[in-house]
PDB file of all heavy atoms in Angstrom:
ATOM      1  N   GLU H 481     -52.888  92.586  15.027  1.00 57.00           N
ATOM      2  CA  GLU H 481     -53.379  93.376  16.145  1.00 57.00           C
ATOM      3  C   GLU H 481     -54.485  94.322  15.710  1.00 57.00           C
ATOM      4  O   GLU H 481     -55.295  94.749  16.531  1.00 57.00           O
ATOM      5  CB  GLU H 481     -52.210  94.136  16.773  1.00 57.00           C
ATOM      6  CG  GLU H 481     -51.597  95.140  15.841  1.00 57.00           C
ATOM      7  CD  GLU H 481     -50.279  95.734  16.323  1.00 57.00           C
ATOM      8  OE1 GLU H 481     -49.640  95.144  17.200  1.00 57.00           O
ATOM      9  OE2 GLU H 481     -49.906  96.769  15.800  1.00 57.00           O
ATOM     10  N   THR H 482     -54.531  94.704  14.426  1.00 64.00           N
ATOM     11  CA  THR H 482     -55.581  95.611  13.969  1.00 64.00           C
ATOM     12  C   THR H 482     -56.747  94.854  13.369  1.00 64.00           C
ATOM     13  O   THR H 482     -57.696  95.449  12.935  1.00 64.00           O
ATOM     14  CB  THR H 482     -55.040  96.599  12.919  1.00 64.00           C
ATOM     15  OG1 THR H 482     -54.628  95.861  11.758  1.00 64.00           O
ATOM     16  CG2 THR H 482     -53.891  97.386  13.469  1.00 64.00           C
ATOM     17  N   GLY H 483     -56.687  93.562  13.282  1.00 94.00           N
ATOM     18  CA  GLY H 483     -57.744  92.798  12.675  1.00 94.00           C
ATOM     19  C   GLY H 483     -57.584  92.622  11.183  1.00 94.00           C
ATOM     20  O   GLY H 483     -58.469  92.075  10.538  1.00 94.00           O
ATOM     21  N   VAL H 484     -56.489  93.110  10.623  1.00 97.00           N
ATOM     22  CA  VAL H 484     -56.210  92.934   9.203  1.00 97.00           C
ATOM     23  C   VAL H 484     -54.866  92.206   9.071  1.00 97.00           C
ATOM     24  O   VAL H 484     -53.865  92.689   9.593  1.00 97.00           O
ATOM     25  CB  VAL H 484     -56.144  94.283   8.464  1.00 97.00           C
ATOM     26  CG1 VAL H 484     -55.882  94.060   6.975  1.00 97.00           C
ATOM     27  CG2 VAL H 484     -57.431  95.065   8.670  1.00 97.00           C
ATOM     28  N   THR H 485     -54.895  91.062   8.437  1.00 97.00           N
ATOM     29  CA  THR H 485     -53.667  90.287   8.277  1.00 97.00           C
ATOM     30  C   THR H 485     -53.266  90.223   6.806  1.00 97.00           C
ATOM     31  O   THR H 485     -54.122  90.254   5.922  1.00 97.00           O
ATOM     32  CB  THR H 485     -53.833  88.855   8.829  1.00 97.00           C
ATOM     33  OG1 THR H 485     -54.918  88.223   8.149  1.00 97.00           O
ATOM     34  CG2 THR H 485     -54.126  88.887  10.322  1.00 97.00           C
ATOM     35  N   GLN H 486     -51.969  90.125   6.579  1.00 98.00           N
ATOM     36  CA  GLN H 486     -51.459  90.043   5.218  1.00 98.00           C
ATOM     37  C   GLN H 486     -50.384  88.973   5.148  1.00 98.00           C
ATOM     38  O   GLN H 486     -49.563  88.845   6.066  1.00 98.00           O
ATOM     39  CB  GLN H 486     -50.837  91.384   4.777  1.00 98.00           C
ATOM     40  CG  GLN H 486     -51.848  92.481   4.529  1.00 98.00           C
ATOM     41  CD  GLN H 486     -51.221  93.718   3.938  1.00 98.00           C
ATOM     42  OE1 GLN H 486     -51.214  94.769   4.564  1.00 98.00           O
ATOM     43  NE2 GLN H 486     -50.692  93.608   2.724  1.00 98.00           N
ATOM     44  N   THR H 487     -50.391  88.221   4.072  1.00 97.00           N
ATOM     45  CA  THR H 487     -49.349  87.235   3.810  1.00 97.00           C
ATOM     46  C   THR H 487     -48.966  87.264   2.332  1.00 97.00           C
ATOM     47  O   THR H 487     -49.825  87.562   1.477  1.00 97.00           O
ATOM     48  CB  THR H 487     -49.825  85.806   4.166  1.00 97.00           C
ATOM     49  OG1 THR H 487     -51.040  85.532   3.450  1.00 97.00           O
ATOM     50  CG2 THR H 487     -50.027  85.651   5.657  1.00 97.00           C
ATOM     51  N   PRO H 488     -47.704  87.009   2.012  1.00 97.00           N
ATOM     52  CA  PRO H 488     -46.598  86.887   2.963  1.00 97.00           C
ATOM     53  C   PRO H 488     -46.166  88.267   3.485  1.00 97.00           C
ATOM     54  O   PRO H 488     -46.611  89.277   2.965  1.00 97.00           O
ATOM     55  CB  PRO H 488     -45.495  86.259   2.108  1.00 97.00           C
ATOM     56  CG  PRO H 488     -45.748  86.810   0.737  1.00 97.00           C
ATOM     57  CD  PRO H 488     -47.249  86.904   0.613  1.00 97.00           C
ATOM     58  N   ARG H 489     -45.336  88.293   4.474  1.00 97.00           N
ATOM     59  CA  ARG H 489     -44.842  89.578   4.978  1.00 97.00           C
ATOM     60  C   ARG H 489     -43.686  90.086   4.124  1.00 97.00           C
ATOM     61  O   ARG H 489     -43.492  91.284   4.006  1.00 97.00           O
ATOM     62  CB  ARG H 489     -44.392  89.409   6.430  1.00 97.00           C
ATOM     63  CG  ARG H 489     -45.519  89.057   7.394  1.00 97.00           C
ATOM     64  CD  ARG H 489     -46.513  90.211   7.532  1.00 97.00           C
ATOM     65  NE  ARG H 489     -45.872  91.436   7.923  1.00 97.00           N
ATOM     66  CZ  ARG H 489     -45.600  91.755   9.179  1.00 97.00           C
ATOM     67  NH1 ARG H 489     -45.915  90.947  10.155  1.00 97.00           N
ATOM     68  NH2 ARG H 489     -45.013  92.907   9.452  1.00 97.00           N
ATOM     69  N   HIS H 490     -42.947  89.165   3.545  1.00 97.00           N
ATOM     70  CA  HIS H 490     -41.830  89.523   2.659  1.00 97.00           C
ATOM     71  C   HIS H 490     -41.898  88.638   1.433  1.00 97.00           C
ATOM     72  O   HIS H 490     -42.217  87.469   1.527  1.00 97.00           O
ATOM     73  CB  HIS H 490     -40.490  89.323   3.366  1.00 97.00           C
ATOM     74  CG  HIS H 490     -40.327  90.149   4.613  1.00 97.00           C
ATOM     75  ND1 HIS H 490     -39.851  91.433   4.598  1.00 97.00           N
ATOM     76  CD2 HIS H 490     -40.625  89.858   5.900  1.00 97.00           C
ATOM     77  CE1 HIS H 490     -39.845  91.907   5.844  1.00 97.00           C
ATOM     78  NE2 HIS H 490     -40.299  90.974   6.641  1.00 97.00           N
ATOM     79  N   LEU H 491     -41.558  89.225   0.277  1.00 96.00           N
ATOM     80  CA  LEU H 491     -41.589  88.480  -0.969  1.00 96.00           C
ATOM     81  C   LEU H 491     -40.523  89.023  -1.894  1.00 96.00           C
ATOM     82  O   LEU H 491     -40.428  90.227  -2.119  1.00 96.00           O
ATOM     83  CB  LEU H 491     -42.969  88.599  -1.617  1.00 96.00           C
ATOM     84  CG  LEU H 491     -43.160  87.911  -2.962  1.00 96.00           C
ATOM     85  CD1 LEU H 491     -42.975  86.398  -2.821  1.00 96.00           C
ATOM     86  CD2 LEU H 491     -44.557  88.213  -3.529  1.00 96.00           C
ATOM     87  N   VAL H 492     -39.715  88.101  -2.400  1.00 95.00           N
ATOM     88  CA  VAL H 492     -38.711  88.443  -3.415  1.00 95.00           C
ATOM     89  C   VAL H 492     -39.085  87.673  -4.680  1.00 95.00           C
ATOM     90  O   VAL H 492     -39.288  86.466  -4.623  1.00 95.00           O
ATOM     91  CB  VAL H 492     -37.280  88.073  -2.968  1.00 95.00           C
ATOM     92  CG1 VAL H 492     -36.283  88.448  -4.061  1.00 95.00           C
ATOM     93  CG2 VAL H 492     -36.935  88.772  -1.663  1.00 95.00           C
ATOM     94  N   MET H 493     -39.191  88.357  -5.775  1.00 93.00           N
ATOM     95  CA  MET H 493     -39.586  87.687  -7.008  1.00 93.00           C
ATOM     96  C   MET H 493     -38.834  88.255  -8.203  1.00 93.00           C
ATOM     97  O   MET H 493     -38.423  89.419  -8.209  1.00 93.00           O
ATOM     98  CB  MET H 493     -41.102  87.766  -7.224  1.00 93.00           C
ATOM     99  CG  MET H 493     -41.657  89.146  -7.327  1.00 93.00           C
ATOM    100  SD  MET H 493     -43.475  89.157  -7.393  1.00 93.00           S
ATOM    101  CE  MET H 493     -43.776  88.499  -9.037  1.00 93.00           C
ATOM    102  N   GLY H 494     -38.672  87.386  -9.193  1.00 90.00           N
ATOM    103  CA  GLY H 494     -38.071  87.821 -10.438  1.00 90.00           C
ATOM    104  C   GLY H 494     -39.132  88.453 -11.326  1.00 90.00           C
ATOM    105  O   GLY H 494     -40.341  88.331 -11.080  1.00 90.00           O
ATOM    106  N   MET H 495     -38.689  89.104 -12.372  1.00 88.00           N
ATOM    107  CA  MET H 495     -39.616  89.824 -13.236  1.00 88.00           C
ATOM    108  C   MET H 495     -40.540  88.892 -14.010  1.00 88.00           C
ATOM    109  O   MET H 495     -41.605  89.308 -14.465  1.00 88.00           O
ATOM    110  CB  MET H 495     -38.836  90.742 -14.187  1.00 88.00           C
ATOM    111  CG  MET H 495     -38.205  91.935 -13.484  1.00 88.00           C
ATOM    112  SD  MET H 495     -37.550  93.160 -14.616  1.00 88.00           S
ATOM    113  CE  MET H 495     -36.077  92.325 -15.160  1.00 88.00           C
ATOM    114  N   THR H 496     -40.188  87.626 -14.131  1.00 87.00           N
ATOM    115  CA  THR H 496     -41.024  86.704 -14.900  1.00 87.00           C
ATOM    116  C   THR H 496     -41.935  85.858 -14.002  1.00 87.00           C
ATOM    117  O   THR H 496     -42.730  85.079 -14.490  1.00 87.00           O
ATOM    118  CB  THR H 496     -40.155  85.761 -15.745  1.00 87.00           C
ATOM    119  OG1 THR H 496     -39.264  85.054 -14.876  1.00 87.00           O
ATOM    120  CG2 THR H 496     -39.361  86.560 -16.769  1.00 87.00           C
ATOM    121  N   ASN H 497     -41.803  86.038 -12.688  1.00 88.00           N
ATOM    122  CA  ASN H 497     -42.611  85.233 -11.764  1.00 88.00           C
ATOM    123  C   ASN H 497     -44.058  85.711 -11.704  1.00 88.00           C
ATOM    124  O   ASN H 497     -44.379  86.837 -12.069  1.00 88.00           O
ATOM    125  CB  ASN H 497     -42.037  85.309 -10.339  1.00 88.00           C
ATOM    126  CG  ASN H 497     -40.699  84.629 -10.195  1.00 88.00           C
ATOM    127  OD1 ASN H 497     -39.930  84.922  -9.304  1.00 88.00           O
ATOM    128  ND2 ASN H 497     -40.407  83.695 -11.085  1.00 88.00           N
ATOM    129  N   LYS H 498     -44.895  84.796 -11.209  1.00 93.00           N
ATOM    130  CA  LYS H 498     -46.277  85.166 -10.852  1.00 93.00           C
ATOM    131  C   LYS H 498     -46.455  84.835  -9.371  1.00 93.00           C
ATOM    132  O   LYS H 498     -46.164  83.715  -8.949  1.00 93.00           O
ATOM    133  CB  LYS H 498     -47.289  84.343 -11.660  1.00 93.00           C
ATOM    134  CG  LYS H 498     -47.393  84.698 -13.121  1.00 93.00           C
ATOM    135  CD  LYS H 498     -48.505  83.903 -13.768  1.00 93.00           C
ATOM    136  CE  LYS H 498     -48.640  84.237 -15.245  1.00 93.00           C
ATOM    137  NZ  LYS H 498     -49.758  83.485 -15.873  1.00 93.00           N
ATOM    138  N   LYS H 499     -46.941  85.783  -8.639  1.00 95.00           N
ATOM    139  CA  LYS H 499     -47.178  85.585  -7.216  1.00 95.00           C
ATOM    140  C   LYS H 499     -48.467  86.293  -6.828  1.00 95.00           C
ATOM    141  O   LYS H 499     -48.974  87.142  -7.571  1.00 95.00           O
ATOM    142  CB  LYS H 499     -46.014  86.167  -6.375  1.00 95.00           C
ATOM    143  CG  LYS H 499     -44.675  85.488  -6.594  1.00 95.00           C
ATOM    144  CD  LYS H 499     -44.637  84.131  -5.941  1.00 95.00           C
ATOM    145  CE  LYS H 499     -43.245  83.522  -6.100  1.00 95.00           C
ATOM    146  NZ  LYS H 499     -43.166  82.150  -5.526  1.00 95.00           N
ATOM    147  N   SER H 500     -48.963  85.979  -5.632  1.00 97.00           N
ATOM    148  CA  SER H 500     -50.163  86.644  -5.126  1.00 97.00           C
ATOM    149  C   SER H 500     -49.968  87.098  -3.697  1.00 97.00           C
ATOM    150  O   SER H 500     -49.361  86.377  -2.888  1.00 97.00           O
ATOM    151  CB  SER H 500     -51.365  85.692  -5.201  1.00 97.00           C
ATOM    152  OG  SER H 500     -51.672  85.375  -6.534  1.00 97.00           O
ATOM    153  N   LEU H 501     -50.470  88.261  -3.390  1.00 98.00           N
ATOM    154  CA  LEU H 501     -50.529  88.761  -2.027  1.00 98.00           C
ATOM    155  C   LEU H 501     -51.933  88.541  -1.499  1.00 98.00           C
ATOM    156  O   LEU H 501     -52.918  88.707  -2.221  1.00 98.00           O
ATOM    157  CB  LEU H 501     -50.204  90.252  -1.977  1.00 98.00           C
ATOM    158  CG  LEU H 501     -48.933  90.718  -2.698  1.00 98.00           C
ATOM    159  CD1 LEU H 501     -48.715  92.209  -2.441  1.00 98.00           C
ATOM    160  CD2 LEU H 501     -47.730  89.896  -2.297  1.00 98.00           C
ATOM    161  N   LYS H 502     -51.996  88.182  -0.204  1.00 98.00           N
ATOM    162  CA  LYS H 502     -53.293  87.904   0.392  1.00 98.00           C
ATOM    163  C   LYS H 502     -53.560  88.834   1.563  1.00 98.00           C
ATOM    164  O   LYS H 502     -52.644  89.147   2.330  1.00 98.00           O
ATOM    165  CB  LYS H 502     -53.350  86.452   0.878  1.00 98.00           C
ATOM    166  CG  LYS H 502     -54.667  86.063   1.544  1.00 98.00           C
ATOM    167  CD  LYS H 502     -54.610  84.634   2.056  1.00 98.00           C
ATOM    168  CE  LYS H 502     -55.891  84.271   2.814  1.00 98.00           C
ATOM    169  NZ  LYS H 502     -55.833  82.895   3.363  1.00 98.00           N
ATOM    170  N   CYS H 503     -54.792  89.253   1.683  1.00 98.00           N
ATOM    171  CA  CYS H 503     -55.217  90.087   2.803  1.00 98.00           C
ATOM    172  C   CYS H 503     -56.521  89.533   3.351  1.00 98.00           C
ATOM    173  O   CYS H 503     -57.412  89.130   2.581  1.00 98.00           O
ATOM    174  CB  CYS H 503     -55.418  91.524   2.332  1.00 98.00           C
ATOM    175  SG  CYS H 503     -56.085  92.644   3.590  1.00 98.00           S
ATOM    176  N   GLU H 504     -56.635  89.528   4.662  1.00 98.00           N
ATOM    177  CA  GLU H 504     -57.877  89.074   5.301  1.00 98.00           C
ATOM    178  C   GLU H 504     -58.210  90.020   6.435  1.00 98.00           C
ATOM    179  O   GLU H 504     -57.343  90.387   7.224  1.00 98.00           O
ATOM    180  CB  GLU H 504     -57.711  87.649   5.835  1.00 98.00           C
ATOM    181  CG  GLU H 504     -58.971  87.070   6.449  1.00 98.00           C
ATOM    182  CD  GLU H 504     -58.835  85.604   6.836  1.00 98.00           C
ATOM    183  OE1 GLU H 504     -57.753  85.028   6.616  1.00 98.00           O
ATOM    184  OE2 GLU H 504     -59.809  85.049   7.356  1.00 98.00           O
ATOM    185  N   GLN H 505     -59.462  90.431   6.498  1.00 97.00           N
ATOM    186  CA  GLN H 505     -59.873  91.292   7.602  1.00 97.00           C
ATOM    187  C   GLN H 505     -60.940  90.590   8.440  1.00 97.00           C
ATOM    188  O   GLN H 505     -61.829  89.927   7.903  1.00 97.00           O
ATOM    189  CB  GLN H 505     -60.357  92.671   7.094  1.00 97.00           C
ATOM    190  CG  GLN H 505     -61.508  92.652   6.123  1.00 97.00           C
ATOM    191  CD  GLN H 505     -62.857  92.893   6.743  1.00 97.00           C
ATOM    192  OE1 GLN H 505     -62.985  93.067   7.954  1.00 97.00           O
ATOM    193  NE2 GLN H 505     -63.891  92.914   5.920  1.00 97.00           N
ATOM    194  N   HIS H 506     -60.800  90.757   9.743  1.00 95.00           N
ATOM    195  CA  HIS H 506     -61.664  90.072  10.717  1.00 95.00           C
ATOM    196  C   HIS H 506     -62.556  91.077  11.435  1.00 95.00           C
ATOM    197  O   HIS H 506     -62.938  90.861  12.589  1.00 95.00           O
ATOM    198  CB  HIS H 506     -60.794  89.318  11.723  1.00 95.00           C
ATOM    199  CG  HIS H 506     -59.704  88.508  11.094  1.00 95.00           C
ATOM    200  ND1 HIS H 506     -59.885  87.227  10.638  1.00 95.00           N
ATOM    201  CD2 HIS H 506     -58.401  88.810  10.830  1.00 95.00           C
ATOM    202  CE1 HIS H 506     -58.751  86.768  10.140  1.00 95.00           C
ATOM    203  NE2 HIS H 506     -57.823  87.706  10.231  1.00 95.00           N
ATOM    204  N   LEU H 507     -62.830  92.191  10.777  1.00 96.00           N
ATOM    205  CA  LEU H 507     -63.534  93.289  11.430  1.00 96.00           C
ATOM    206  C   LEU H 507     -64.972  93.444  10.973  1.00 96.00           C
ATOM    207  O   LEU H 507     -65.675  94.352  11.418  1.00 96.00           O
ATOM    208  CB  LEU H 507     -62.761  94.604  11.173  1.00 96.00           C
ATOM    209  CG  LEU H 507     -61.317  94.597  11.692  1.00 96.00           C
ATOM    210  CD1 LEU H 507     -60.556  95.804  11.137  1.00 96.00           C
ATOM    211  CD2 LEU H 507     -61.290  94.609  13.210  1.00 96.00           C
ATOM    212  N   GLY H 508     -65.398  92.598  10.043  1.00 95.00           N
ATOM    213  CA  GLY H 508     -66.752  92.713   9.537  1.00 95.00           C
ATOM    214  C   GLY H 508     -66.966  93.921   8.633  1.00 95.00           C
ATOM    215  O   GLY H 508     -68.088  94.394   8.469  1.00 95.00           O
ATOM    216  N   HIS H 509     -65.869  94.438   8.065  1.00 95.00           N
ATOM    217  CA  HIS H 509     -65.961  95.609   7.202  1.00 95.00           C
ATOM    218  C   HIS H 509     -66.429  95.251   5.808  1.00 95.00           C
ATOM    219  O   HIS H 509     -66.282  94.113   5.353  1.00 95.00           O
ATOM    220  CB  HIS H 509     -64.597  96.300   7.126  1.00 95.00           C
ATOM    221  CG  HIS H 509     -64.217  97.002   8.387  1.00 95.00           C
ATOM    222  ND1 HIS H 509     -62.926  97.452   8.639  1.00 95.00           N
ATOM    223  CD2 HIS H 509     -64.951  97.355   9.474  1.00 95.00           C
ATOM    224  CE1 HIS H 509     -62.904  98.037   9.815  1.00 95.00           C
ATOM    225  NE2 HIS H 509     -64.117  97.995  10.351  1.00 95.00           N
ATOM    226  N   ASN H 510     -66.972  96.259   5.122  1.00 93.00           N
ATOM    227  CA  ASN H 510     -67.462  96.044   3.770  1.00 93.00           C
ATOM    228  C   ASN H 510     -66.550  96.602   2.694  1.00 93.00           C
ATOM    229  O   ASN H 510     -66.771  96.354   1.513  1.00 93.00           O
ATOM    230  CB  ASN H 510     -68.853  96.687   3.611  1.00 93.00           C
ATOM    231  CG  ASN H 510     -69.905  95.973   4.418  1.00 93.00           C
ATOM    232  OD1 ASN H 510     -69.852  94.752   4.596  1.00 93.00           O
ATOM    233  ND2 ASN H 510     -70.867  96.729   4.930  1.00 93.00           N
ATOM    234  N   ALA H 511     -65.562  97.373   3.057  1.00 93.00           N
ATOM    235  CA  ALA H 511     -64.672  97.990   2.082  1.00 93.00           C
ATOM    236  C   ALA H 511     -63.232  97.546   2.335  1.00 93.00           C
ATOM    237  O   ALA H 511     -62.788  97.440   3.476  1.00 93.00           O
ATOM    238  CB  ALA H 511     -64.755  99.515   2.153  1.00 93.00           C
ATOM    239  N   MET H 512     -62.526  97.273   1.255  1.00 95.00           N
ATOM    240  CA  MET H 512     -61.121  96.881   1.351  1.00 95.00           C
ATOM    241  C   MET H 512     -60.317  97.617   0.292  1.00 95.00           C
ATOM    242  O   MET H 512     -60.841  97.958  -0.788  1.00 95.00           O
ATOM    243  CB  MET H 512     -60.956  95.371   1.203  1.00 95.00           C
ATOM    244  CG  MET H 512     -61.631  94.591   2.335  1.00 95.00           C
ATOM    245  SD  MET H 512     -61.284  92.833   2.304  1.00 95.00           S
ATOM    246  CE  MET H 512     -59.606  92.794   2.973  1.00 95.00           C
ATOM    247  N   TYR H 513     -59.048  97.852   0.603  1.00 95.00           N
ATOM    248  CA  TYR H 513     -58.197  98.695  -0.239  1.00 95.00           C
ATOM    249  C   TYR H 513     -56.818  98.068  -0.407  1.00 95.00           C
ATOM    250  O   TYR H 513     -56.302  97.416   0.511  1.00 95.00           O
ATOM    251  CB  TYR H 513     -57.996 100.070   0.437  1.00 95.00           C
ATOM    252  CG  TYR H 513     -59.256 100.737   0.926  1.00 95.00           C
ATOM    253  CD1 TYR H 513     -59.837 100.357   2.139  1.00 95.00           C
ATOM    254  CD2 TYR H 513     -59.859 101.744   0.192  1.00 95.00           C
ATOM    255  CE1 TYR H 513     -60.996 100.977   2.594  1.00 95.00           C
ATOM    256  CE2 TYR H 513     -61.012 102.375   0.657  1.00 95.00           C
ATOM    257  CZ  TYR H 513     -61.575 101.976   1.857  1.00 95.00           C
ATOM    258  OH  TYR H 513     -62.724 102.592   2.302  1.00 95.00           O
TER     259      TYR H 513
END
Side-chain angles (χ1 to χ4, degrees):
Chain H
E481 64 191 19
T482 64
V484 181
T485 58
Q486 288 187 245
T487 55
R489 295 293 305 275
H490 300 273
L491 178 62
V492 180
M493 60 187 289
M495 289 191 285
T496 57
N497 292 158
K498 289 185 180 181
K499 296 286 184 183
S500 296
L501 310 185
K502 179 183 176 182
C503 175
E504 183 174 359
Q505 58 97 359
H506 313 274
L507 301 168
H509 288 166
N510 292 326
M512 296 187 77
Y513 311 80

